[in-house]
């Protein structure tokens, strides 16, 4: 996958997510001179990356005359402090891409203009190892070419899906944005259950981590539906079958997960209001 830019890609925020994207872009053929990084205190490893590739770091915003994309990757709680300082980039009519949870397209339009091309996205933390997934929703001012450019930029950290309605971003946040925490907690619970059955703590955790990580990789590589993979490892009346009778009961994992996703979706809506 090659990323083609005619102007400048302005990265606002070089933390874990922004830094992961920057690394992915450089590997995908983005030339260092096409990038500007705006961050007062990037992590040492990202600062070293900027210096290694001679990427423009914190130039005066007024000197950036050809912004093609402004990708905002700062924490939501500081967004309103940061955006006024980069809003002048709107004179170049760039594509504005947000990777901040809880910030609506309308909140960016207040800074970049009602006619600005804006894409709201929600990535997740596996992006740090190139195994993330990002959902994006665009407003009516985003062109087909800009959609494709955004998809290519976001593909640097994993898979990309598009949702037509911005309101669905809240459900995406609940499923994939917060989802890694559910998987990590499942790993914790699996290890604790092993300890309860007599396994040493370190061995139980090693078994749980390797099982969760390996199962995820098998699902990714095989491309088979999760249901098929589950059925493939479930022998009639065997040990897996016995455990699934508990997990798949009426009061088992499915209704509990639905309640969890509902709670996260509602909270995402509250944060965006």
């Amino acid at each position: 996958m090659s990323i083609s830019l005619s102007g400048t890609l302005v990265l606002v925020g070089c933390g874990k997510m922004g830094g992961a994207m920057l690394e992915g872009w450089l590997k995908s053929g983005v030339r260092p001179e096409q990038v500007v990084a705006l961050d007062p205190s990037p992590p040492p490893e990202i600062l070293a990356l900027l210096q290694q590739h001679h990427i423009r770091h914190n130039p005066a915003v007024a000197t950036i005359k050809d912004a093609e994309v402004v990708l905002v990757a700062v924490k939501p709680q500081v967004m309103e402090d940061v955006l006024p300082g980069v809003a002048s980039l709107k004179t170049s009519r760039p594509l504005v891409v947000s990777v901040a949870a809880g910030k609506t397209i309308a909140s960016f339009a207040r800074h970049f203009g009602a006619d600005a091309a804006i894409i709201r996205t929600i990535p997740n933390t596996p992006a740090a190892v190139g195994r993330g997934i990002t959902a994006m929703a665009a407003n009516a001012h985003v062109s087909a070419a800009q959609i494709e450019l955004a998809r290519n930029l976001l593909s640097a950290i994993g898979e990309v899906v598009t949702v037509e309605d911005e309101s669905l971003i809240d459900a995406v946040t609940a499923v994939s944005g917060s989802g890694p925490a559910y998987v990590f907690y499942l790993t914790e619970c699996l290890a604790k259950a092993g300890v309860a059955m007599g396994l040493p703590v370190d061995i139980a955790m090693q078994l749980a981590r390797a099982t969760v990580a390996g199962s995820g990789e098998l699902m990714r590589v095989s491309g088979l539906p999760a249901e098929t993979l589950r059925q493939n490892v479930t022998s009639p009346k065997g040990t897996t079958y016995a455990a699934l009778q508990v997990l798949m009961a009426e009061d088992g994992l499915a209704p509990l997960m639905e309640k969890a996703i509902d709670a996260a979706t509602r909270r995402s809506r509250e944060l965006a209001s």
Side-chain angles (χ1 to χ4, degrees):
M1 185 270 298
S2 178
I3 299 172
S4 177
L5 290 166
S6 57
T8 297
L9 170 54
V10 182
L11 175 61
V12 184
C14 299
K16 290 183 179 179
M17 190 64 68
M21 287 190 286
L22 177 59
E23 290 188 76
W25 296 337
L26 294 171
K27 291 176 183 176
S28 299
V30 172
R31 300 194 310 276
E33 62 268 24
Q34 294 178 297
V35 181
V36 167
L38 302 177
D39 191 317
S41 54
E45 65 274 15
I46 300 304
L47 181 59
L49 184 70
L50 296 172
Q51 294 171 341
Q52 175 190 346
H53 291 276
H54 305 289
I55 291 172
R56 285 174 287 170
H57 182 210
N58 293 334
V61 172
T63 65
I64 307 169
K65 303 296 186 182
D66 62 342
E68 183 177 1
V69 181
V70 177
L71 194 142
V72 185
V74 300
K75 294 184 182 300
Q77 56 266 35
V78 301
M79 188 72 72
E80 292 304 314
D81 296 324
V82 171
L83 290 184
V86 297
S88 62
L89 294 171
K90 66 185 178 184
T91 57
S92 300
R93 301 191 63 79
L95 169 65
V96 179
V97 181
S98 164
V99 297
K103 291 298 179 181
T104 63
I105 288 174
S107 69
F108 282 86
R110 285 196 294 271
H111 294 277
F112 289 95
D115 61 346
I118 302 169
I119 293 179
R120 178 183 174 189
T121 78
I122 182 71
N124 61 6
T125 53
V129 292
R131 286 284 181 259
I133 185 164
T134 303
M136 63 181 189
N139 69 2
H141 303 296
V142 179
S143 69
Q146 287 174 320
I147 287 280
E148 187 61 23
L149 175 56
R151 180 178 293 276
N152 288 340
L153 289 171
L154 295 167
S155 292
I157 53 171
E159 298 179 45
V160 181
V161 298
T162 301
V163 293
E164 296 301 322
D165 189 335
E166 184 190 359
S167 66
L168 293 174
I169 290 290
D170 297 309
V172 169
T173 301
V175 173
S176 61
S178 300
Y182 316 154
V183 177
F184 301 147
Y185 185 57
L186 170 64
T187 306
E188 292 179 65
C189 292
L190 191 56
K192 287 178 181 178
V195 171
M197 293 299 104
L199 288 171
V201 172
D202 58 338
I203 291 179
M205 180 52 76
Q206 185 177 356
L207 290 169
R209 286 176 65 103
T211 298
V212 171
S215 299
E217 185 66 3
L218 175 60
M219 186 158 48
R220 185 186 73 85
V221 172
S222 72
L224 293 172
E227 180 181 8
T228 299
L229 291 168
R230 170 179 56 79
Q231 292 169 344
N232 288 348
V233 298
T234 307
S235 302
K237 306 299 181 181
T239 58
T240 308
Y241 174 86
L244 287 175
Q245 295 309 292
V246 177
L247 293 175
M248 298 177 71
E250 286 188 7
D251 61 346
L253 183 59
L256 187 62
M257 185 59 72
E258 187 172 335
K259 286 174 60 179
I261 297 300
D262 178 65
T265 301
R266 285 187 283 107
R267 183 56 179 155
S268 179
R269 289 175 184 150
E270 290 169 0
L271 292 172
S273 60

